[in-house]
Amino acid sequence: MSTAKLVLNGKEYEYPVFEGSENEVAIDFTKLRAQTGAIAYDPGYGNTGSCTSTITYIDGDAGILRYRGYPIEQLATQSTFTEVCYLLINGRLPNADELDKFNQRLNKHTLVHEDMKKLFEGYPPSAHPMAIMSAMVISLSAYHPDLLDPEIIDSNIMRLLAKFKTLAAFTYKKSVGQPYVYPRADLNYAEDFLHMMFATPTQPYQVNPVVAKALDLLLILHADHEQNCSTSTVRMVGSSQANVFASVAAGVNALWGPLHGGANQEVIMMLEDIQRDGGDVQKYVGMAKDKNSNFRLMGFGHRVYKNFDPRAKILKKAADDVLHALNVSDPLLDIARGLEEAALHDEYFVERKLYPNVDFYSGIIYRALGIPTQMFTVMFALGRLPGWIAQWKEMHNDSATRINRPRQIYTGEAVRDYTSIDQR
Ligand code: SDX
């Protein structure tokens, strides 16, 4: 085993170095503070590994993404979302009988307790769906106790996976003041979600296979992404032995941020602003480079990908295919393409290796599917759910898991005595 040497205050220390299955190298600092009294300081954790994991592998320089070793490009064209759920959570692809049983188990749990509908009544129609979804996920823990009984955990995972899409559709119905539509066991995951979203008492939803397939693809592409902000949040919360509902509810909250899953909604709002402003993409590329402008090119850049996000590549083509198949033309797609073209030929973006990420084109497709902008981040969460669950389960079942408790460097006041209020 190789080691890394550290010299601190004239004293030399050695730390073990280990490699992952894709030859990523890590220095094991688990004993750093005990031996040196010093900590490793890495705000944003850009250089810090919180765990080892067998679920997802990303090579940001090469633009590689694999779920349990399978390239995202193959899963995108050959798999289905529920098969990817099975793969991420169980570590291998199911055979036909296993997948059929998995889908049947999901269909058994799609209904939510009727009393949960009362929870929706407390929200104004204008409530952001992510606020409601976070509350609904944590509320599931009130309806399904025995949260950490090993026999029950698997059932609760299936319940969460099945009920999330029902709750997401109910959240949309709440926002438009329409009655809730109940799930149907004769439809696949994507078809059933679209049915619950768009069927009304007077107008049954006619499943459009192009729309359902496009949604299934979007869900596959969002399913996991190693230790991103929301997944790390799920692991952080779960490390205290909080149950899967509580941990995933925390992940929903982290995903909502505009720098993370909220970016897909921000991209569309940015493209609409550019359209209203006459479509001058160069002006906005210029603003993105100007530190004083407070403007960022939403859907661009990534902490890990310093090459094209492979999901963005797939979505860029899918946007064309879906809009063509649905005979939809969206001026925002032309603006997005112009923006991408301008940015990718601009030194500022090239130098910083800023490329379109998963959020840049996903919103164009959601729009074509009839999904409102306010629901875009819920769609991201719907896709990411199996990844959060798989990562929570891996952490929960790892006997080496310790409660996550980072350190800090204090830079505040030195010790001082309390003074009575009349002396201040
Ligand atoms: C997701 O982690 C994941 O895997 C996330 C995700 C997943 O699947 O879970 O992939 C999903 O969250 C995708 C990212 C969605 N967010 C956005 O599209 C928001 C816009 N992007 C940025 O805010 C930014 O690129 C981040 C948040 C994605 C990454 O931020 P970093 O790694 O902290 O990078 P940074 O802010 O330090 O930027 C480095 C430089 C800076 O310039 P300098 O200080 O070097 O001069 O690049 C600039 C930044 O100003 N920069 C941008 C930019 N992104 C980075 N400048 C203009 N527009 C941008 N979008």
Short mmCIF file of all heavy atoms in Angstrom, two decimals, residues 225 228 258-261 263 288 291 296-303 311 348-349 352 354 357-359 380 384, ligand 1:
data_model
loop_
_atom_site.label_atom_id
_atom_site.label_comp_id
_atom_site.label_asym_id
_atom_site.label_seq_id
_atom_site.Cartn_x
_atom_site.Cartn_y
_atom_site.Cartn_z
N HIS A 225 -26.39 10.46 -9.14
CA HIS A 225 -25.22 11.23 -9.60
C HIS A 225 -24.17 11.33 -8.52
O HIS A 225 -23.64 12.40 -8.25
CB HIS A 225 -25.65 12.62 -10.08
CG HIS A 225 -24.80 13.10 -11.23
ND1 HIS A 225 -24.06 14.24 -11.19
CD2 HIS A 225 -24.57 12.54 -12.44
CE1 HIS A 225 -23.40 14.38 -12.33
NE2 HIS A 225 -23.70 13.37 -13.11
N ASN A 228 -23.60 14.29 -5.02
CA ASN A 228 -24.03 15.68 -5.24
C ASN A 228 -24.64 16.25 -3.97
O ASN A 228 -24.80 15.54 -2.97
CB ASN A 228 -25.03 15.70 -6.39
CG ASN A 228 -26.21 14.83 -6.08
OD1 ASN A 228 -27.13 15.23 -5.41
ND2 ASN A 228 -26.15 13.57 -6.51
N PRO A 258 -31.47 26.89 -6.42
CA PRO A 258 -31.27 27.22 -7.83
C PRO A 258 -29.90 26.80 -8.36
O PRO A 258 -29.72 26.64 -9.56
CB PRO A 258 -31.44 28.73 -7.91
CG PRO A 258 -31.37 29.22 -6.51
CD PRO A 258 -31.76 28.09 -5.62
N LEU A 259 -28.94 26.57 -7.50
CA LEU A 259 -27.63 26.12 -7.98
C LEU A 259 -27.63 24.62 -8.23
O LEU A 259 -26.70 24.08 -8.81
CB LEU A 259 -26.53 26.47 -6.98
CG LEU A 259 -26.25 27.97 -6.76
CD1 LEU A 259 -25.03 28.14 -5.87
CD2 LEU A 259 -26.08 28.71 -8.07
N HIS A 260 -28.66 23.94 -7.76
CA HIS A 260 -28.74 22.46 -7.87
C HIS A 260 -29.97 22.10 -8.70
O HIS A 260 -30.08 22.54 -9.83
CB HIS A 260 -28.75 21.89 -6.44
CG HIS A 260 -28.57 20.41 -6.32
ND1 HIS A 260 -28.14 19.59 -7.34
CD2 HIS A 260 -28.77 19.60 -5.26
CE1 HIS A 260 -28.09 18.35 -6.90
NE2 HIS A 260 -28.47 18.31 -5.65
N GLY A 261 -30.90 21.38 -8.16
CA GLY A 261 -32.04 20.93 -8.97
C GLY A 261 -32.97 22.05 -9.38
O GLY A 261 -33.70 21.93 -10.36
N ALA A 263 -32.15 24.56 -10.81
CA ALA A 263 -31.59 25.21 -12.01
C ALA A 263 -32.46 24.98 -13.23
O ALA A 263 -32.56 25.85 -14.10
CB ALA A 263 -30.17 24.72 -12.26
N ALA A 288 -22.96 37.09 -18.15
CA ALA A 288 -22.52 35.94 -17.35
C ALA A 288 -21.04 36.06 -17.00
O ALA A 288 -20.60 35.54 -15.98
CB ALA A 288 -22.78 34.65 -18.12
N LYS A 291 -18.68 39.84 -13.38
CA LYS A 291 -18.89 39.50 -11.96
C LYS A 291 -19.86 40.46 -11.29
O LYS A 291 -20.51 40.12 -10.31
CB LYS A 291 -17.55 39.55 -11.20
CG LYS A 291 -16.50 38.58 -11.68
CD LYS A 291 -16.90 37.14 -11.49
CE LYS A 291 -15.87 36.21 -12.10
NZ LYS A 291 -16.40 34.89 -12.42
N ARG A 296 -25.86 34.52 -13.80
CA ARG A 296 -25.18 33.29 -14.14
C ARG A 296 -25.92 32.63 -15.29
O ARG A 296 -27.14 32.72 -15.37
CB ARG A 296 -25.17 32.31 -12.96
CG ARG A 296 -24.11 32.66 -11.97
CD ARG A 296 -23.53 31.46 -11.26
NE ARG A 296 -22.17 31.81 -10.83
CZ ARG A 296 -21.36 30.95 -10.23
NH1 ARG A 296 -21.76 29.71 -10.03
NH2 ARG A 296 -20.16 31.31 -9.88
N LEU A 297 -25.19 31.93 -16.16
CA LEU A 297 -25.82 31.19 -17.23
C LEU A 297 -26.35 29.90 -16.61
O LEU A 297 -25.60 28.95 -16.40
CB LEU A 297 -24.77 30.87 -18.30
CG LEU A 297 -25.19 30.91 -19.75
CD1 LEU A 297 -26.03 32.13 -20.04
CD2 LEU A 297 -23.98 30.86 -20.66
N MET A 298 -27.62 29.90 -16.23
CA MET A 298 -28.17 28.73 -15.55
C MET A 298 -28.18 27.54 -16.50
O MET A 298 -28.39 27.68 -17.70
CB MET A 298 -29.58 29.05 -15.07
CG MET A 298 -29.63 30.21 -14.08
SD MET A 298 -28.38 30.11 -12.78
CE MET A 298 -29.23 29.08 -11.61
N GLY A 299 -27.88 26.37 -15.97
CA GLY A 299 -27.78 25.18 -16.80
C GLY A 299 -26.39 24.98 -17.37
O GLY A 299 -26.14 24.05 -18.13
N PHE A 300 -25.47 25.92 -16.98
CA PHE A 300 -24.08 25.80 -17.45
C PHE A 300 -23.15 25.59 -16.27
O PHE A 300 -23.36 26.15 -15.20
CB PHE A 300 -23.69 27.09 -18.18
CG PHE A 300 -23.58 26.94 -19.66
CD1 PHE A 300 -24.71 26.89 -20.46
CD2 PHE A 300 -22.33 26.80 -20.26
CE1 PHE A 300 -24.60 26.74 -21.84
CE2 PHE A 300 -22.22 26.65 -21.65
CZ PHE A 300 -23.37 26.61 -22.43
N GLY A 301 -22.11 24.83 -16.47
CA GLY A 301 -21.09 24.61 -15.44
C GLY A 301 -21.43 23.44 -14.55
O GLY A 301 -22.59 23.03 -14.44
N HIS A 302 -20.41 22.90 -13.92
CA HIS A 302 -20.62 21.74 -13.05
C HIS A 302 -19.37 21.55 -12.18
O HIS A 302 -18.26 21.76 -12.64
CB HIS A 302 -20.85 20.47 -13.88
CG HIS A 302 -21.52 19.38 -13.11
ND1 HIS A 302 -20.82 18.54 -12.28
CD2 HIS A 302 -22.82 19.04 -13.02
CE1 HIS A 302 -21.66 17.70 -11.73
NE2 HIS A 302 -22.89 17.97 -12.15
N ARG A 303 -19.57 21.14 -10.92
CA ARG A 303 -18.44 20.92 -10.03
C ARG A 303 -17.57 19.77 -10.53
O ARG A 303 -16.35 19.82 -10.42
CB ARG A 303 -18.96 20.59 -8.62
CG ARG A 303 -17.91 20.19 -7.61
CD ARG A 303 -16.95 21.28 -7.30
NE ARG A 303 -17.56 22.51 -6.84
CZ ARG A 303 -18.00 22.71 -5.60
NH1 ARG A 303 -17.93 21.74 -4.71
NH2 ARG A 303 -18.51 23.88 -5.25
N ARG A 311 -25.36 13.60 -19.87
CA ARG A 311 -26.84 13.67 -19.85
C ARG A 311 -27.31 14.83 -20.72
O ARG A 311 -28.34 14.75 -21.39
CB ARG A 311 -27.31 13.85 -18.40
CG ARG A 311 -26.85 12.76 -17.44
CD ARG A 311 -27.06 13.15 -16.00
NE ARG A 311 -26.24 14.32 -15.66
CZ ARG A 311 -26.27 14.88 -14.45
NH1 ARG A 311 -27.07 14.40 -13.50
NH2 ARG A 311 -25.51 15.93 -14.19
N TYR A 348 -14.04 32.84 -21.84
CA TYR A 348 -14.38 32.76 -20.42
C TYR A 348 -14.90 31.37 -20.09
O TYR A 348 -14.49 30.75 -19.11
CB TYR A 348 -15.45 33.81 -20.11
CG TYR A 348 -16.03 33.75 -18.71
CD1 TYR A 348 -15.52 34.54 -17.68
CD2 TYR A 348 -17.09 32.90 -18.42
CE1 TYR A 348 -16.05 34.48 -16.40
CE2 TYR A 348 -17.62 32.82 -17.14
CZ TYR A 348 -17.10 33.62 -16.14
OH TYR A 348 -17.63 33.54 -14.87
N PHE A 349 -15.78 30.84 -20.92
CA PHE A 349 -16.39 29.54 -20.65
C PHE A 349 -15.42 28.41 -20.99
O PHE A 349 -15.33 27.42 -20.26
CB PHE A 349 -17.70 29.40 -21.46
CG PHE A 349 -18.80 30.29 -20.93
CD1 PHE A 349 -18.88 31.61 -21.34
CD2 PHE A 349 -19.70 29.82 -20.00
CE1 PHE A 349 -19.87 32.45 -20.83
CE2 PHE A 349 -20.70 30.65 -19.48
CZ PHE A 349 -20.77 31.97 -19.90
N ARG A 352 -12.79 28.13 -18.27
CA ARG A 352 -13.31 27.57 -17.01
C ARG A 352 -13.99 26.20 -17.22
O ARG A 352 -14.56 25.65 -16.29
CB ARG A 352 -14.28 28.57 -16.38
CG ARG A 352 -13.61 29.81 -15.83
CD ARG A 352 -14.61 30.90 -15.50
NE ARG A 352 -13.94 32.07 -14.95
CZ ARG A 352 -13.29 32.96 -15.69
NH1 ARG A 352 -13.23 32.81 -17.01
NH2 ARG A 352 -12.69 34.00 -15.12
N LEU A 354 -16.72 25.36 -18.75
CA LEU A 354 -18.15 25.43 -18.41
C LEU A 354 -18.95 24.92 -19.60
O LEU A 354 -18.94 25.53 -20.68
CB LEU A 354 -18.54 26.87 -18.09
CG LEU A 354 -17.77 27.53 -16.93
CD1 LEU A 354 -18.18 28.99 -16.79
CD2 LEU A 354 -18.00 26.78 -15.63
N ASN A 357 -25.10 21.56 -18.55
CA ASN A 357 -25.30 20.42 -17.66
C ASN A 357 -26.71 19.86 -17.85
O ASN A 357 -27.44 20.32 -18.73
CB ASN A 357 -25.03 20.82 -16.21
CG ASN A 357 -25.94 21.96 -15.75
OD1 ASN A 357 -27.16 21.90 -15.95
ND2 ASN A 357 -25.36 23.01 -15.18
N VAL A 358 -27.07 18.93 -17.03
CA VAL A 358 -28.33 18.19 -17.22
C VAL A 358 -29.54 19.13 -17.24
O VAL A 358 -30.55 18.84 -17.86
CB VAL A 358 -28.51 17.14 -16.10
CG1 VAL A 358 -28.72 17.80 -14.73
CG2 VAL A 358 -29.65 16.18 -16.41
N ASP A 359 -29.39 20.29 -16.58
CA ASP A 359 -30.56 21.18 -16.46
C ASP A 359 -30.78 22.07 -17.67
O ASP A 359 -31.80 22.75 -17.75
CB ASP A 359 -30.39 22.05 -15.20
CG ASP A 359 -30.45 21.21 -13.95
OD1 ASP A 359 -31.43 20.45 -13.82
OD2 ASP A 359 -29.52 21.27 -13.14
N PHE A 380 -37.24 16.61 -11.32
CA PHE A 380 -35.86 16.22 -11.03
C PHE A 380 -35.86 15.29 -9.80
O PHE A 380 -35.24 14.22 -9.82
CB PHE A 380 -35.01 17.47 -10.74
CG PHE A 380 -33.52 17.24 -10.72
CD1 PHE A 380 -32.66 18.13 -11.34
CD2 PHE A 380 -32.95 16.15 -10.08
CE1 PHE A 380 -31.28 17.94 -11.31
CE2 PHE A 380 -31.58 15.95 -10.05
CZ PHE A 380 -30.75 16.86 -10.67
N ARG A 384 -34.54 11.52 -9.29
CA ARG A 384 -33.42 11.28 -8.37
C ARG A 384 -33.79 10.39 -7.19
O ARG A 384 -32.91 9.85 -6.52
CB ARG A 384 -32.91 12.65 -7.84
CG ARG A 384 -31.69 12.64 -6.96
CD ARG A 384 -30.48 11.90 -7.51
NE ARG A 384 -30.11 12.26 -8.85
CZ ARG A 384 -29.27 13.26 -9.16
NH1 ARG A 384 -28.76 14.01 -8.20
NH2 ARG A 384 -28.92 13.50 -10.41
C1 SDX B 1 -26.92 19.98 -10.83
O1 SDX B 1 -23.25 17.91 -8.27
C2 SDX B 1 -24.02 17.37 -9.10
O2 SDX B 1 -23.77 16.26 -9.60
C3 SDX B 1 -25.28 18.15 -9.45
C4 SDX B 1 -26.15 17.60 -10.57
C5 SDX B 1 -26.77 16.27 -10.18
O3 SDX B 1 -27.13 15.51 -11.08
O4 SDX B 1 -27.04 16.08 -8.97
O5 SDX B 1 -25.37 17.42 -11.73
C6 SDX B 1 -27.30 18.54 -10.88
O6 SDX B 1 -27.05 20.60 -9.81
C7 SDX B 1 -26.32 20.60 -12.07
C8 SDX B 1 -25.86 22.08 -11.82
C9 SDX B 1 -27.09 22.99 -11.97
N1 SDX B 1 -26.76 24.36 -11.60
C10 SDX B 1 -26.64 25.33 -12.52
O7 SDX B 1 -26.77 25.16 -13.72
C11 SDX B 1 -26.41 26.71 -11.93
C12 SDX B 1 -25.33 27.44 -12.74
N2 SDX B 1 -24.07 26.78 -12.49
C13 SDX B 1 -23.21 27.30 -11.46
O8 SDX B 1 -23.79 28.03 -10.46
C14 SDX B 1 -22.00 26.43 -11.11
O9 SDX B 1 -21.44 26.07 -12.30
C15 SDX B 1 -22.24 25.20 -10.26
C16 SDX B 1 -23.00 25.52 -9.02
C17 SDX B 1 -22.95 24.15 -11.02
C18 SDX B 1 -20.86 24.67 -9.88
O10 SDX B 1 -20.30 25.60 -9.04
P1 SDX B 1 -18.77 25.46 -8.56
O11 SDX B 1 -18.21 24.12 -8.87
O12 SDX B 1 -18.72 25.94 -7.14
O13 SDX B 1 -18.04 26.44 -9.51
P2 SDX B 1 -17.75 27.96 -9.19
O14 SDX B 1 -19.03 28.65 -8.82
O15 SDX B 1 -16.60 28.02 -8.25
O16 SDX B 1 -17.31 28.50 -10.65
C19 SDX B 1 -15.96 28.44 -11.10
C20 SDX B 1 -15.82 29.65 -12.02
C21 SDX B 1 -16.19 30.96 -11.31
O17 SDX B 1 -15.51 31.99 -12.00
P3 SDX B 1 -14.06 32.55 -11.37
O18 SDX B 1 -14.34 32.86 -9.92
O19 SDX B 1 -13.09 31.40 -11.58
O20 SDX B 1 -13.76 33.77 -12.21
O21 SDX B 1 -16.75 29.52 -13.11
C22 SDX B 1 -17.71 30.57 -13.04
C23 SDX B 1 -17.66 31.12 -11.63
O22 SDX B 1 -18.06 32.49 -11.62
N3 SDX B 1 -19.03 29.97 -13.33
C24 SDX B 1 -19.97 30.54 -14.06
C25 SDX B 1 -21.01 29.60 -14.12
N4 SDX B 1 -20.68 28.51 -13.41
C26 SDX B 1 -19.44 28.74 -12.93
N5 SDX B 1 -20.02 31.76 -14.67
C27 SDX B 1 -21.16 32.01 -15.35
N6 SDX B 1 -22.21 31.16 -15.46
C28 SDX B 1 -22.17 29.96 -14.85
N7 SDX B 1 -23.21 29.11 -14.93
#
